[in-house]
Amino acid sequence: LMRIRLSVKRYRPGSDLLPVWQDYRVEIRSDLTVLETLIQLKEEEDGSLAFRYSCRSAICGSCAMKINGSEKLACQTAVREELERHGDLRIESLANFPVIKDLVADMGPFWKKVGSVTPWLHFKSEGTRDASQKHLNREAFDHFHNVDACIFCGACASACNSLEVSPQFTGPAALAKAWRFVADPREAGDEKKARLGELIAPDGIWDCVRCNYCVEVCPKDVRPMEAIIRLRREAIQDGLGNSPAGRHITAFVEIVRKEGRLNEGLQPLKMLWRSPRLLLGVLPLAFNMALKGKLVLPWHWPIRGIRFVRKLFKTEGTKRP
Ligand code: FES
């Protein structure tokens, strides 16, 4: 047995003005998980404490919460390990989700976003991308098997930097699910293009800032950010890269191919020349940079040894962004 102190962020919207941290002291077996500790706490000390769980086996995703600042499944997080690493135990609800009570996050907006990517197959037997592939073969499955492991716990959405500043962003879990269907060869090609067309809209794939936090916190190794990058690549290859964000990538690759390094003067021009309003918007910044001597002119010579860079681009897989 060990006696521990833990702090839980308590909040009842509607009756509490602000969340408050409440400290508890409990005696627990040293091999308990955070979820088992919360259950014991609720049964023995404070029946008003609210949290959500079901399977207790890292399957249902219900018990995701922030434990010592990181998104984790409470049922697979050992108290002893947390105490050894952090010295204490601080538990709060997922970030970027409204709170229903204490540790119970409102998953409603999250599910709505998952629903918005049409998370099911539009199977058309006469229009499959590969007519021989009415059943999924192993090779095709490998493209999205990580994504299929998602249990929709919401850990990635809680850790997402982009969602924090832009609550309308579709978010990592929903976009990873979208990749699962874009990568599925059983749908018709036009269906795939239609999906991608919706995903490149504002609040879609280009709003990810690639902080990688979703990958770090995911308890199932779904790697949502990788799925988003694959969606971007597909969109560009399907001719849907004509947005400032899409052109950022194509311009970047084109410049490096030609000059062997990034040209920070040319890059914004290549991205924005088709969007005069956005181009005008960056002029004050360019002016201020020029005043401070930090404006980079767009005319550069290629680096020495550029032929080696171009050779690299000629190898398979680097010809296209
Ligand atoms: Fe189901 Fe933790 S209780 S994942």
Side-chain angles (χ1 to χ4, degrees), residues 35 52-64 72-76 151 153 220:
L35 179 61
R52 192 191 274 133
Y53 68 97
S54 179
C55 70
R56 308 188 200 192
S57 312
I59 296 169
C60 71
S62 310
C63 68
K72 291 186 175 146
L73 296 179
C75 68
Q76 69 169 14
I151 56 173
C153 62
K220 293 291 176 183

mmCIF file with all atom_site columns, all heavy atoms in Angstrom, residues 35 52-64 72-76 151 153 220, ligand 1:
data_model
loop_
_atom_site.group_PDB
_atom_site.id
_atom_site.type_symbol
_atom_site.label_atom_id
_atom_site.label_alt_id
_atom_site.label_comp_id
_atom_site.label_asym_id
_atom_site.label_entity_id
_atom_site.label_seq_id
_atom_site.pdbx_PDB_ins_code
_atom_site.Cartn_x
_atom_site.Cartn_y
_atom_site.Cartn_z
_atom_site.occupancy
_atom_site.B_iso_or_equiv
_atom_site.pdbx_formal_charge
_atom_site.auth_seq_id
_atom_site.auth_comp_id
_atom_site.auth_asym_id
_atom_site.auth_atom_id
_atom_site.pdbx_PDB_model_num
ATOM   1   N  N   . LEU A 1 35  ? -7.150  5.152  -13.362 1.00 0.00 ? 35  LEU A N   1
ATOM   2   C  CA  . LEU A 1 35  ? -8.599  4.924  -13.360 1.00 0.00 ? 35  LEU A CA  1
ATOM   3   C  C   . LEU A 1 35  ? -9.029  4.172  -12.099 1.00 0.00 ? 35  LEU A C   1
ATOM   4   O  O   . LEU A 1 35  ? -10.013 4.536  -11.445 1.00 0.00 ? 35  LEU A O   1
ATOM   5   C  CB  . LEU A 1 35  ? -9.019  4.139  -14.618 1.00 0.00 ? 35  LEU A CB  1
ATOM   6   C  CG  . LEU A 1 35  ? -10.504 3.822  -14.694 1.00 0.00 ? 35  LEU A CG  1
ATOM   7   C  CD1 . LEU A 1 35  ? -11.344 5.096  -14.729 1.00 0.00 ? 35  LEU A CD1 1
ATOM   8   C  CD2 . LEU A 1 35  ? -10.830 2.959  -15.899 1.00 0.00 ? 35  LEU A CD2 1
ATOM   9   N  N   . ARG A 1 52  ? -15.458 9.333  -16.751 1.00 0.00 ? 52  ARG A N   1
ATOM   10  C  CA  . ARG A 1 52  ? -16.115 8.388  -17.655 1.00 0.00 ? 52  ARG A CA  1
ATOM   11  C  C   . ARG A 1 52  ? -15.199 7.192  -17.909 1.00 0.00 ? 52  ARG A C   1
ATOM   12  O  O   . ARG A 1 52  ? -13.989 7.353  -18.074 1.00 0.00 ? 52  ARG A O   1
ATOM   13  C  CB  . ARG A 1 52  ? -16.401 9.116  -18.967 1.00 0.00 ? 52  ARG A CB  1
ATOM   14  C  CG  . ARG A 1 52  ? -17.324 8.375  -19.907 1.00 0.00 ? 52  ARG A CG  1
ATOM   15  C  CD  . ARG A 1 52  ? -17.311 9.047  -21.263 1.00 0.00 ? 52  ARG A CD  1
ATOM   16  N  NE  . ARG A 1 52  ? -18.242 10.137 -21.375 1.00 0.00 ? 52  ARG A NE  1
ATOM   17  C  CZ  . ARG A 1 52  ? -17.944 11.332 -21.890 1.00 0.00 ? 52  ARG A CZ  1
ATOM   18  N  NH1 . ARG A 1 52  ? -16.729 11.593 -22.312 1.00 0.00 ? 52  ARG A NH1 1
ATOM   19  N  NH2 . ARG A 1 52  ? -18.847 12.264 -21.987 1.00 0.00 ? 52  ARG A NH2 1
ATOM   20  N  N   . TYR A 1 53  ? -15.751 6.015  -17.933 1.00 0.00 ? 53  TYR A N   1
ATOM   21  C  CA  . TYR A 1 53  ? -14.958 4.844  -18.299 1.00 0.00 ? 53  TYR A CA  1
ATOM   22  C  C   . TYR A 1 53  ? -15.908 3.730  -18.682 1.00 0.00 ? 53  TYR A C   1
ATOM   23  O  O   . TYR A 1 53  ? -17.097 3.780  -18.394 1.00 0.00 ? 53  TYR A O   1
ATOM   24  C  CB  . TYR A 1 53  ? -14.033 4.398  -17.154 1.00 0.00 ? 53  TYR A CB  1
ATOM   25  C  CG  . TYR A 1 53  ? -14.741 3.846  -15.947 1.00 0.00 ? 53  TYR A CG  1
ATOM   26  C  CD1 . TYR A 1 53  ? -14.894 2.466  -15.778 1.00 0.00 ? 53  TYR A CD1 1
ATOM   27  C  CD2 . TYR A 1 53  ? -15.260 4.689  -14.978 1.00 0.00 ? 53  TYR A CD2 1
ATOM   28  C  CE1 . TYR A 1 53  ? -15.537 1.957  -14.678 1.00 0.00 ? 53  TYR A CE1 1
ATOM   29  C  CE2 . TYR A 1 53  ? -15.921 4.185  -13.872 1.00 0.00 ? 53  TYR A CE2 1
ATOM   30  C  CZ  . TYR A 1 53  ? -16.057 2.825  -13.718 1.00 0.00 ? 53  TYR A CZ  1
ATOM   31  O  OH  . TYR A 1 53  ? -16.715 2.314  -12.634 1.00 0.00 ? 53  TYR A OH  1
ATOM   32  N  N   . SER A 1 54  ? -15.346 2.702  -19.327 1.00 0.00 ? 54  SER A N   1
ATOM   33  C  CA  . SER A 1 54  ? -16.172 1.549  -19.653 1.00 0.00 ? 54  SER A CA  1
ATOM   34  C  C   . SER A 1 54  ? -15.331 0.270  -19.631 1.00 0.00 ? 54  SER A C   1
ATOM   35  O  O   . SER A 1 54  ? -15.411 -0.526 -18.718 1.00 0.00 ? 54  SER A O   1
ATOM   36  C  CB  . SER A 1 54  ? -16.845 1.746  -21.019 1.00 0.00 ? 54  SER A CB  1
ATOM   37  O  OG  . SER A 1 54  ? -17.616 0.631  -21.335 1.00 0.00 ? 54  SER A OG  1
ATOM   38  N  N   . CYS A 1 55  ? -14.464 0.089  -20.625 1.00 0.00 ? 55  CYS A N   1
ATOM   39  C  CA  . CYS A 1 55  ? -13.814 -1.215 -20.806 1.00 0.00 ? 55  CYS A CA  1
ATOM   40  C  C   . CYS A 1 55  ? -12.709 -1.506 -19.797 1.00 0.00 ? 55  CYS A C   1
ATOM   41  O  O   . CYS A 1 55  ? -12.428 -2.645 -19.491 1.00 0.00 ? 55  CYS A O   1
ATOM   42  C  CB  . CYS A 1 55  ? -13.230 -1.302 -22.212 1.00 0.00 ? 55  CYS A CB  1
ATOM   43  S  SG  . CYS A 1 55  ? -11.800 -0.224 -22.458 1.00 0.00 ? 55  CYS A SG  1
ATOM   44  N  N   . ARG A 1 56  ? -12.060 -0.470 -19.283 1.00 0.00 ? 56  ARG A N   1
ATOM   45  C  CA  . ARG A 1 56  ? -10.889 -0.585 -18.386 1.00 0.00 ? 56  ARG A CA  1
ATOM   46  C  C   . ARG A 1 56  ? -9.729  -1.333 -19.038 1.00 0.00 ? 56  ARG A C   1
ATOM   47  O  O   . ARG A 1 56  ? -8.849  -1.847 -18.366 1.00 0.00 ? 56  ARG A O   1
ATOM   48  C  CB  . ARG A 1 56  ? -11.236 -1.300 -17.074 1.00 0.00 ? 56  ARG A CB  1
ATOM   49  C  CG  . ARG A 1 56  ? -12.426 -0.741 -16.358 1.00 0.00 ? 56  ARG A CG  1
ATOM   50  C  CD  . ARG A 1 56  ? -12.563 -1.384 -15.002 1.00 0.00 ? 56  ARG A CD  1
ATOM   51  N  NE  . ARG A 1 56  ? -13.907 -1.237 -14.493 1.00 0.00 ? 56  ARG A NE  1
ATOM   52  C  CZ  . ARG A 1 56  ? -14.249 -1.492 -13.266 1.00 0.00 ? 56  ARG A CZ  1
ATOM   53  N  NH1 . ARG A 1 56  ? -13.350 -1.919 -12.398 1.00 0.00 ? 56  ARG A NH1 1
ATOM   54  N  NH2 . ARG A 1 56  ? -15.484 -1.344 -12.864 1.00 0.00 ? 56  ARG A NH2 1
ATOM   55  N  N   . SER A 1 57  ? -9.739  -1.444 -20.348 1.00 0.00 ? 57  SER A N   1
ATOM   56  C  CA  . SER A 1 57  ? -8.692  -2.216 -21.034 1.00 0.00 ? 57  SER A CA  1
ATOM   57  C  C   . SER A 1 57  ? -8.134  -1.494 -22.250 1.00 0.00 ? 57  SER A C   1
ATOM   58  O  O   . SER A 1 57  ? -7.685  -2.129 -23.193 1.00 0.00 ? 57  SER A O   1
ATOM   59  C  CB  . SER A 1 57  ? -9.261  -3.561 -21.505 1.00 0.00 ? 57  SER A CB  1
ATOM   60  O  OG  . SER A 1 57  ? -9.962  -4.189 -20.499 1.00 0.00 ? 57  SER A OG  1
ATOM   61  N  N   . ALA A 1 58  ? -8.199  -0.184 -22.289 1.00 0.00 ? 58  ALA A N   1
ATOM   62  C  CA  . ALA A 1 58  ? -7.657  0.612  -23.406 1.00 0.00 ? 58  ALA A CA  1
ATOM   63  C  C   . ALA A 1 58  ? -8.307  0.270  -24.738 1.00 0.00 ? 58  ALA A C   1
ATOM   64  O  O   . ALA A 1 58  ? -7.647  0.257  -25.772 1.00 0.00 ? 58  ALA A O   1
ATOM   65  C  CB  . ALA A 1 58  ? -6.130  0.457  -23.489 1.00 0.00 ? 58  ALA A CB  1
ATOM   66  N  N   . ILE A 1 59  ? -9.592  -0.034 -24.705 1.00 0.00 ? 59  ILE A N   1
ATOM   67  C  CA  . ILE A 1 59  ? -10.297 -0.384 -25.935 1.00 0.00 ? 59  ILE A CA  1
ATOM   68  C  C   . ILE A 1 59  ? -11.357 0.650  -26.307 1.00 0.00 ? 59  ILE A C   1
ATOM   69  O  O   . ILE A 1 59  ? -11.498 1.023  -27.465 1.00 0.00 ? 59  ILE A O   1
ATOM   70  C  CB  . ILE A 1 59  ? -10.963 -1.781 -25.795 1.00 0.00 ? 59  ILE A CB  1
ATOM   71  C  CG1 . ILE A 1 59  ? -9.907  -2.859 -25.620 1.00 0.00 ? 59  ILE A CG1 1
ATOM   72  C  CG2 . ILE A 1 59  ? -11.827 -2.098 -27.016 1.00 0.00 ? 59  ILE A CG2 1
ATOM   73  C  CD1 . ILE A 1 59  ? -10.469 -4.207 -25.207 1.00 0.00 ? 59  ILE A CD1 1
ATOM   74  N  N   . CYS A 1 60  ? -12.100 1.127  -25.316 1.00 0.00 ? 60  CYS A N   1
ATOM   75  C  CA  . CYS A 1 60  ? -13.262 1.966  -25.647 1.00 0.00 ? 60  CYS A CA  1
ATOM   76  C  C   . CYS A 1 60  ? -12.900 3.447  -25.820 1.00 0.00 ? 60  CYS A C   1
ATOM   77  O  O   . CYS A 1 60  ? -13.632 4.189  -26.466 1.00 0.00 ? 60  CYS A O   1
ATOM   78  C  CB  . CYS A 1 60  ? -14.339 1.823  -24.576 1.00 0.00 ? 60  CYS A CB  1
ATOM   79  S  SG  . CYS A 1 60  ? -13.906 2.586  -23.000 1.00 0.00 ? 60  CYS A SG  1
ATOM   80  N  N   . GLY A 1 61  ? -11.812 3.895  -25.222 1.00 0.00 ? 61  GLY A N   1
ATOM   81  C  CA  . GLY A 1 61  ? -11.405 5.294  -25.372 1.00 0.00 ? 61  GLY A CA  1
ATOM   82  C  C   . GLY A 1 61  ? -12.128 6.254  -24.441 1.00 0.00 ? 61  GLY A C   1
ATOM   83  O  O   . GLY A 1 61  ? -11.888 7.454  -24.484 1.00 0.00 ? 61  GLY A O   1
ATOM   84  N  N   . SER A 1 62  ? -13.000 5.744  -23.560 1.00 0.00 ? 62  SER A N   1
ATOM   85  C  CA  . SER A 1 62  ? -13.814 6.635  -22.712 1.00 0.00 ? 62  SER A CA  1
ATOM   86  C  C   . SER A 1 62  ? -13.007 7.377  -21.649 1.00 0.00 ? 62  SER A C   1
ATOM   87  O  O   . SER A 1 62  ? -13.433 8.432  -21.197 1.00 0.00 ? 62  SER A O   1
ATOM   88  C  CB  . SER A 1 62  ? -14.878 5.835  -21.961 1.00 0.00 ? 62  SER A CB  1
ATOM   89  O  OG  . SER A 1 62  ? -15.579 5.012  -22.819 1.00 0.00 ? 62  SER A OG  1
ATOM   90  N  N   . CYS A 1 63  ? -11.912 6.795  -21.189 1.00 0.00 ? 63  CYS A N   1
ATOM   91  C  CA  . CYS A 1 63  ? -11.257 7.348  -19.999 1.00 0.00 ? 63  CYS A CA  1
ATOM   92  C  C   . CYS A 1 63  ? -10.101 8.286  -20.341 1.00 0.00 ? 63  CYS A C   1
ATOM   93  O  O   . CYS A 1 63  ? -9.254  8.532  -19.488 1.00 0.00 ? 63  CYS A O   1
ATOM   94  C  CB  . CYS A 1 63  ? -10.752 6.210  -19.118 1.00 0.00 ? 63  CYS A CB  1
ATOM   95  S  SG  . CYS A 1 63  ? -9.401  5.300  -19.883 1.00 0.00 ? 63  CYS A SG  1
ATOM   96  N  N   . ALA A 1 64  ? -10.064 8.828  -21.576 1.00 0.00 ? 64  ALA A N   1
ATOM   97  C  CA  . ALA A 1 64  ? -8.970  9.747  -21.922 1.00 0.00 ? 64  ALA A CA  1
ATOM   98  C  C   . ALA A 1 64  ? -9.091  11.011 -21.075 1.00 0.00 ? 64  ALA A C   1
ATOM   99  O  O   . ALA A 1 64  ? -10.189 11.551 -20.915 1.00 0.00 ? 64  ALA A O   1
ATOM   100 C  CB  . ALA A 1 64  ? -9.034  10.089 -23.405 1.00 0.00 ? 64  ALA A CB  1
ATOM   101 N  N   . LYS A 1 72  ? -3.762  11.012 -21.777 1.00 0.00 ? 72  LYS A N   1
ATOM   102 C  CA  . LYS A 1 72  ? -3.513  9.574  -21.591 1.00 0.00 ? 72  LYS A CA  1
ATOM   103 C  C   . LYS A 1 72  ? -4.826  8.860  -21.320 1.00 0.00 ? 72  LYS A C   1
ATOM   104 O  O   . LYS A 1 72  ? -5.819  9.499  -20.945 1.00 0.00 ? 72  LYS A O   1
ATOM   105 C  CB  . LYS A 1 72  ? -2.587  9.357  -20.376 1.00 0.00 ? 72  LYS A CB  1
ATOM   106 C  CG  . LYS A 1 72  ? -1.193  9.857  -20.625 1.00 0.00 ? 72  LYS A CG  1
ATOM   107 C  CD  . LYS A 1 72  ? -0.256  9.526  -19.497 1.00 0.00 ? 72  LYS A CD  1
ATOM   108 C  CE  . LYS A 1 72  ? 1.147   9.965  -19.885 1.00 0.00 ? 72  LYS A CE  1
ATOM   109 N  NZ  . LYS A 1 72  ? 1.939   10.423 -18.781 1.00 0.00 ? 72  LYS A NZ  1
ATOM   110 N  N   . LEU A 1 73  ? -4.803  7.546  -21.512 1.00 0.00 ? 73  LEU A N   1
ATOM   111 C  CA  . LEU A 1 73  ? -5.934  6.736  -21.065 1.00 0.00 ? 73  LEU A CA  1
ATOM   112 C  C   . LEU A 1 73  ? -5.687  6.412  -19.594 1.00 0.00 ? 73  LEU A C   1
ATOM   113 O  O   . LEU A 1 73  ? -4.658  5.810  -19.245 1.00 0.00 ? 73  LEU A O   1
ATOM   114 C  CB  . LEU A 1 73  ? -6.027  5.445  -21.878 1.00 0.00 ? 73  LEU A CB  1
ATOM   115 C  CG  . LEU A 1 73  ? -6.321  5.590  -23.372 1.00 0.00 ? 73  LEU A CG  1
ATOM   116 C  CD1 . LEU A 1 73  ? -6.347  4.216  -24.038 1.00 0.00 ? 73  LEU A CD1 1
ATOM   117 C  CD2 . LEU A 1 73  ? -7.637  6.316  -23.608 1.00 0.00 ? 73  LEU A CD2 1
ATOM   118 N  N   . ALA A 1 74  ? -6.643  6.782  -18.738 1.00 0.00 ? 74  ALA A N   1
ATOM   119 C  CA  . ALA A 1 74  ? -6.452  6.568  -17.303 1.00 0.00 ? 74  ALA A CA  1
ATOM   120 C  C   . ALA A 1 74  ? -6.328  5.091  -16.976 1.00 0.00 ? 74  ALA A C   1
ATOM   121 O  O   . ALA A 1 74  ? -5.651  4.704  -16.025 1.00 0.00 ? 74  ALA A O   1
ATOM   122 C  CB  . ALA A 1 74  ? -7.614  7.190  -16.530 1.00 0.00 ? 74  ALA A CB  1
ATOM   123 N  N   . CYS A 1 75  ? -6.983  4.240  -17.800 1.00 0.00 ? 75  CYS A N   1
ATOM   124 C  CA  . CYS A 1 75  ? -6.968  2.805  -17.487 1.00 0.00 ? 75  CYS A CA  1
ATOM   125 C  C   . CYS A 1 75  ? -5.659  2.124  -17.868 1.00 0.00 ? 75  CYS A C   1
ATOM   126 O  O   . CYS A 1 75  ? -5.453  0.960  -17.532 1.00 0.00 ? 75  CYS A O   1
ATOM   127 C  CB  . CYS A 1 75  ? -8.147  2.104  -18.147 1.00 0.00 ? 75  CYS A CB  1
ATOM   128 S  SG  . CYS A 1 75  ? -8.043  2.051  -19.945 1.00 0.00 ? 75  CYS A SG  1
ATOM   129 N  N   . GLN A 1 76  ? -4.791  2.814  -18.595 1.00 0.00 ? 76  GLN A N   1
ATOM   130 C  CA  . GLN A 1 76  ? -3.496  2.177  -18.899 1.00 0.00 ? 76  GLN A CA  1
ATOM   131 C  C   . GLN A 1 76  ? -2.331  3.021  -18.385 1.00 0.00 ? 76  GLN A C   1
ATOM   132 O  O   . GLN A 1 76  ? -1.209  2.873  -18.836 1.00 0.00 ? 76  GLN A O   1
ATOM   133 C  CB  . GLN A 1 76  ? -3.354  1.863  -20.392 1.00 0.00 ? 76  GLN A CB  1
ATOM   134 C  CG  . GLN A 1 76  ? -3.216  3.038  -21.296 1.00 0.00 ? 76  GLN A CG  1
ATOM   135 C  CD  . GLN A 1 76  ? -2.804  2.629  -22.704 1.00 0.00 ? 76  GLN A CD  1
ATOM   136 O  OE1 . GLN A 1 76  ? -2.861  1.471  -23.085 1.00 0.00 ? 76  GLN A OE1 1
ATOM   137 N  NE2 . GLN A 1 76  ? -2.395  3.593  -23.493 1.00 0.00 ? 76  GLN A NE2 1
ATOM   138 N  N   . ILE A 1 151 ? -9.415  4.585  -31.559 1.00 0.00 ? 151 ILE A N   1
ATOM   139 C  CA  . ILE A 1 151 ? -10.561 4.281  -30.678 1.00 0.00 ? 151 ILE A CA  1
ATOM   140 C  C   . ILE A 1 151 ? -11.330 5.561  -30.342 1.00 0.00 ? 151 ILE A C   1
ATOM   141 O  O   . ILE A 1 151 ? -12.168 5.560  -29.457 1.00 0.00 ? 151 ILE A O   1
ATOM   142 C  CB  . ILE A 1 151 ? -10.093 3.566  -29.394 1.00 0.00 ? 151 ILE A CB  1
ATOM   143 C  CG1 . ILE A 1 151 ? -9.022  4.407  -28.667 1.00 0.00 ? 151 ILE A CG1 1
ATOM   144 C  CG2 . ILE A 1 151 ? -9.572  2.172  -29.703 1.00 0.00 ? 151 ILE A CG2 1
ATOM   145 C  CD1 . ILE A 1 151 ? -8.625  3.864  -27.304 1.00 0.00 ? 151 ILE A CD1 1
ATOM   146 N  N   . CYS A 1 153 ? -10.638 8.295  -28.744 1.00 0.00 ? 153 CYS A N   1
ATOM   147 C  CA  . CYS A 1 153 ? -10.608 8.727  -27.345 1.00 0.00 ? 153 CYS A CA  1
ATOM   148 C  C   . CYS A 1 153 ? -10.570 10.243 -27.224 1.00 0.00 ? 153 CYS A C   1
ATOM   149 O  O   . CYS A 1 153 ? -10.902 10.802 -26.188 1.00 0.00 ? 153 CYS A O   1
ATOM   150 C  CB  . CYS A 1 153 ? -9.403  8.116  -26.640 1.00 0.00 ? 153 CYS A CB  1
ATOM   151 S  SG  . CYS A 1 153 ? -7.820  8.625  -27.329 1.00 0.00 ? 153 CYS A SG  1
ATOM   152 N  N   . LYS A 1 220 ? -2.811  4.622  -29.444 1.00 0.00 ? 220 LYS A N   1
ATOM   153 C  CA  . LYS A 1 220 ? -2.937  3.489  -30.361 1.00 0.00 ? 220 LYS A CA  1
ATOM   154 C  C   . LYS A 1 220 ? -2.030  3.605  -31.579 1.00 0.00 ? 220 LYS A C   1
ATOM   155 O  O   . LYS A 1 220 ? -2.235  2.916  -32.576 1.00 0.00 ? 220 LYS A O   1
ATOM   156 C  CB  . LYS A 1 220 ? -4.398  3.351  -30.828 1.00 0.00 ? 220 LYS A CB  1
ATOM   157 C  CG  . LYS A 1 220 ? -5.331  2.956  -29.711 1.00 0.00 ? 220 LYS A CG  1
ATOM   158 C  CD  . LYS A 1 220 ? -5.039  1.526  -29.273 1.00 0.00 ? 220 LYS A CD  1
ATOM   159 C  CE  . LYS A 1 220 ? -5.886  1.131  -28.093 1.00 0.00 ? 220 LYS A CE  1
ATOM   160 N  NZ  . LYS A 1 220 ? -5.575  -0.214 -27.604 1.00 0.00 ? 220 LYS A NZ  1
HETATM 161 FE FE1 . FES B 2 .   ? -11.984 2.040  -22.029 1.00 0.00 ? 1   FES B FE1 1
HETATM 162 FE FE2 . FES B 2 .   ? -9.993  3.253  -20.678 1.00 0.00 ? 1   FES B FE2 1
HETATM 163 S  S1  . FES B 2 .   ? -11.895 2.599  -19.919 1.00 0.00 ? 1   FES B S1  1
HETATM 164 S  S2  . FES B 2 .   ? -10.150 2.905  -22.787 1.00 0.00 ? 1   FES B S2  1
#
